[in-house]
Every structure is written in C-alpha cells, then in structure tokens.
Amino acid sequence: NDMKDGIINVYKPKGMTSNDVIYKVRAALGIRKLGHTGTLDPMAEGVLPIMINRGTRIAEYLDWDLKTYETTVTLGIRTDSLDVTGEITETSDPSGIAEEDVRRAFRELLPNVEETEGGAARHYGILDQMPPRTSAVRIEGRRLYEYVHAGEEIPEDILKKVRPRKVWIDSLTIDEIDLPDIRFTVRCSKGTYIRSISRDIGEILGTGAVMKSLKRTSSGAFDLTNSVSVDEILKTAIKAGRVCVEAGGPAKTDSSARSEAGDSEPIEDPGQVVTSAKIKRKTPFGDAIPADMERFILGPDLPLVNLGEALVSHEDALRLLDGWHLSYREAKVTKEPEKPAWIDLLGEEAETYDRTETSINIGSHAGLKLHPEYMKTYKVYETDGRGGRVFVGIARHSDKYHKLTPIKIFITK
C-alpha cells in the first residue's frame, strides 16, 4: 500500500515564516492536508514538525510535550517586539553588570535551582509570564500581533486585559555569559514566550534586554537528529520533476551566482540552493506520499510518548477497526500513560483539581492545561508475536465497560 500518513520534521531556517515552510512542503509532497504543531517566528530557526493527512489527528495529544530552545539575549536594549527585529524604544549602558549579577537575576526569576551532572545550575518551576505584544493572545476578537503587524498602537483598554499566564519551565540553564550577551537553554511547556524570559531578565538587571537569536532544538520526540532541511526536501522534489523554481525567483546557486538561463526558463537544477525560491508545482496533488520522500517520513505514533501502550493480535486489530471494544484479556497493556512532569510540583494547587472535568486549567494558559481523559489513553499496536509490531491507532479506557474503546484508527483492512 502507498504511504499516506505520517510526520515530516522540518528544520525551518531563519527568515522564513512557518506558513512559507508549509507552502513549500505541500508543493514538494503534492499533498494538500498538512498542519504544524507550533509556529516559529521568522527570525527563529529550528524543528517544525509537519503532520501529513491523518497524521494531523494526533496534534491534540501533544499539549504536554516539552520544547527546548537555545537563545541569546543582549542587555542594554529595549524594543517594541522584545527582539532585535523590533523598533528600539530605549537603550542603556550595561557595562556595570557583572557575571554574578546575571546569575542572581536568573535565581530571582526562577528560585528553584539544582545542580546538573555537569555542574551547571538548572532553574525550574512554574513561571507567571506576561505575554509580549507580538503574541497570539486574542482579546475581544483580535490577536495582539495583529495590531503590531498593522502598525497600530494597542489600545490601553486592551492592554489592561492582558494577564500573566502560567507556564512550566522544566530546565533553564546558562550556557555562556559574554556581556552584553547571555546565551541560555530553556526546556519548557507549550506556549512559553522565550522573548518574555529575555525581557524579564533585562528588567531584573535594570538594563532591558532583547532576544538576539532563537533556535528550537526539540519539540517532544522531534529533535535535530530526525529533522530534514527545507532545501533537501525541495531538491528531492525538483529532481523527481514534481516542482521547479519559477524563472526570476530568488534562488541562489551553490556558488551564490544567478544562472542567466533562469531569466527565461524555469530552473530545475537539483544542485541549487532553493529554500528562498518561489516554487511552482508541475504535477497534480494527490494523497499518497511520493516514494522518494518516504525516507523523511516519521510514524504518527512517534510523538505520542505520554500515552500508554497496548498490544493486540491481528484479529483484534481488525475488531478495533470495526469499532469493537476490547477487554484487557484481548489488549495487553505494556505501558501506562505518563502524567506531566510538573503536576507533582504544584503543591496544594494540585489537590484542588476535579479530575472528572473535561479539562483542567492551571491559571489561564493552555501550556498547563490537563485533559484527564488522556491519562486513560493508549497507543495500540498489532503484534506478530515475534517482536514486530504495527501501529493500529489510539484507544481509550471506558469506565462504563472497563474495556479499551477505539478513538482514532490508522490502519485499513
């Protein structure tokens, strides 16, 4: 059977929007139904997992995934966007700041600290974070970044309604202090604003600070080792004849010289650097992943690390496909669902949760939102009895029947 579903973990380069990446990958794959798991700013680079066809159905289970970012901030500057791409609103002299002042500022931001195996200080805990003006927070039907992109001032009555949001910082470590620059790594929950961390450090030090660079090195199970560049994806599609670079587009050759032939004819040289080029689709869209792209595709079960696991026979896999519930004699549970790492560290707050609710929210941020039903959800695999297994789909424990109920199935008869 043709491969139709999966995930491609794309490494987004600087200067490209997440939507640009979707556009190019859609053209290269020849598949319309794609979705990503979290936008990266144009100035940022890093992993951007893109779900393909039915792979989009697993996105809702990724809320608990932690993401890792490497960033550099510069002291002594304030901008309206909290990063170096924004308009400078204030500057100051950070020359009086010492290395110990920086470490003290991180301790003030996140007082919980432990020493790592390498001897570095790991800061962690729940952080009340004020969203930046360039965030996607929606107030009265409009996102904050829409005002910024339109060149409008955000009305004061709207700004007054922006509230701090709680996020989980699993690990914040300083990598290098080379003042006025500070380089650090953050492992955090969904929805954390790294630029807000940069701003807060600058405010604690009294100098202001802006985010100079940002790289997402992991998102749940997706990391640099299983990522693929936009360039490699496009070169593969060009070589196969599915797409071409439009004539006159901003493509650059490996020698950084433009081909004069490209001024009149589409450029189809797979040796070109085509990431920034305008791509033209040459063949119709379909729903099957091209064979030459299969080496880039990851299984839709890969990121479901927080779900439990159960094994079934081929016959019982077909029964799930038909909508049957399976008893625990028929479905052997080999792993129970994992709860988020931060839930046990919330102290008295955790005791107030009503776990029968549809969802549980700490504060007002989706990054710390729990879906209690996920604690009863399992990945189901068909096993051949010899160690091999095939991902069947997702099932959930039914309190009423005390059986596993199929939720989302990924196999066909």
Side-chain angles (χ1 to χ4, degrees):
N1 293 335
D2 291 333
M3 181 187 287
K4 294 183 178 181
D5 311 306
I7 305 166
I8 184 166
N9 181 23
V10 182
Y11 191 93
K12 188 193 88 64
K14 295 178 184 178
M16 181 181 287
T17 68
S18 297
N19 284 338
D20 282 342
V21 174
I22 288 281
Y23 165 78
K24 286 180 166 58
V25 172
R26 178 178 289 119
L29 290 175
I31 296 175
R32 293 188 186 278
K33 189 174 182 181
L34 303 179
H36 62 70
T37 62
T39 301
L40 278 175
D41 291 340
M43 72 162 290
E45 61 183 303
V47 298
L48 182 70
I50 295 177
M51 315 302 185
I52 304 166
N53 286 327
R54 290 186 300 175
T56 58
R57 303 170 72 201
I58 61 96
E60 67 176 277
Y61 300 101
L62 307 185
D63 280 355
W64 299 356
D65 283 354
L66 297 179
K67 302 181 180 184
T68 306
Y69 298 88
E70 295 177 356
T71 188
T72 300
V73 303
T74 300
L75 302 180
I77 306 173
R78 292 181 174 91
T79 68
D80 56 358
S81 65
L82 309 186
D83 63 46
V84 292
T85 68
E87 182 178 340
I88 295 176
T89 58
E90 189 177 346
T91 60
S92 62
D93 181 8
S95 60
I97 301 297
E99 182 174 318
E100 181 51 39
D101 297 324
V102 173
R103 298 190 185 280
R104 190 181 304 115
F106 277 81
R107 288 195 296 271
E108 182 174 336
L109 181 71
L110 279 169
N112 295 327
V113 186
E114 67 176 23
E115 189 173 303
T116 66
E117 290 183 2
R122 169 193 168 234
H123 301 257
Y124 65 94
I126 300 292
L127 189 62
D128 284 310
Q129 193 172 68
M130 185 65 74
R133 298 188 179 198
T134 51
S135 71
V137 172
R138 188 191 298 274
I139 298 179
E140 294 187 3
R142 194 174 183 188
R143 299 189 185 277
L144 292 183
Y145 70 71
E146 293 177 2
Y147 292 97
V148 177
H149 291 174
E152 303 173 19
E153 287 289 330
I154 302 177
E156 284 298 321
D157 61 321
I158 296 295
L159 286 176
K160 289 178 181 178
K161 295 180 180 179
V162 180
R163 295 286 183 267
R165 301 191 167 201
K166 294 182 184 293
V167 294
W168 166 247
I169 306 300
D170 188 70
S171 175
L172 188 159
T173 57
I174 299 173
D175 299 319
E176 182 182 19
I177 300 175
D178 184 17
L179 296 171
D181 288 352
I182 308 166
R183 188 166 58 84
F184 59 89
T185 298
V186 185
R187 189 167 185 253
C188 54
S189 66
K190 170 187 175 182
T192 302
Y193 297 108
I194 309 302
R195 67 187 64 229
S196 291
I197 294 177
S198 305
R199 172 199 60 201
D200 294 344
I201 291 297
E203 294 309 311
I204 292 172
L205 290 169
T207 63
V210 294
M211 188 172 70
K212 183 178 181 180
S213 66
L214 181 66
K215 178 192 291 187
R216 184 160 69 197
T217 58
S218 73
S219 179
F222 304 105
D223 57 29
L224 300 180
T225 64
N226 55 30
S227 68
V228 58
S229 69
V230 177
D231 207 51
E232 188 171 0
I233 293 168
L234 291 177
K235 287 178 180 178
T236 301
I238 290 173
K239 187 175 182 180
R242 288 189 300 278
V243 299
C244 65
V245 177
E246 285 196 338
K252 297 179 180 179
T253 63
D254 288 338
S255 62
S256 300
R258 285 291 308 278
S259 167
E260 293 188 6
D263 293 336
S264 57
E265 296 294 333
I267 306 166
E268 302 187 44
D269 176 9
Q272 288 188 296
V273 177
V274 294
T275 297
S276 61
K278 188 173 181 181
I279 301 299
K280 181 179 181 180
R281 180 81 189 159
K282 296 175 65 178
T283 57
F285 282 92
D287 59 0
I289 296 169
D292 57 16
M293 289 287 182
E294 290 184 1
R295 69 184 190 276
F296 302 140
I297 308 303
L298 305 169
D301 59 320
L302 172 75
L304 302 177
V305 293
N306 296 309
L307 301 188
E309 292 184 7
L311 301 180
V312 300
S313 67
H314 176 67
E315 292 75 16
D316 288 328
L318 294 178
R319 292 174 65 206
L320 275 179
L321 178 61
D322 288 334
W324 287 77
H325 299 189
L326 297 184
S327 73
Y328 289 99
R329 293 189 304 274
E330 299 158 323
K332 179 184 178 182
V333 173
T334 57
K335 173 180 175 290
E336 293 294 342
E338 298 176 7
K339 58 185 175 182
W342 41 264
I343 190 63
D344 287 333
L345 300 175
L346 295 174
E348 295 179 359
E349 285 186 88
E351 299 176 5
T352 66
Y353 296 160
D354 178 1
R355 295 183 180 275
T356 63
E357 294 180 5
T358 302
S359 65
I360 299 168
N361 202 0
I362 305 162
S364 60
H365 200 286
L368 297 187
K369 181 179 287 185
L370 291 175
H371 298 275
E373 66 270 22
Y374 292 174
M375 299 300 297
K376 305 174 183 179
T377 305
Y378 298 80
K379 296 179 286 184
V380 179
Y381 292 92
E382 175 187 324
T383 176
D384 60 9
R386 299 185 300 274
R389 61 184 198 173
V390 176
F391 180 52
V392 175
I394 299 168
R396 184 168 297 147
H397 170 79
S398 167
D399 290 328
K400 181 178 180 180
Y401 300 107
H402 199 69
K403 292 183 176 182
L404 282 182
T405 305
I407 302 297
K408 296 178 181 179
I409 300 298
F410 286 82
I411 61 168
T412 56
K413 286 187 177 180

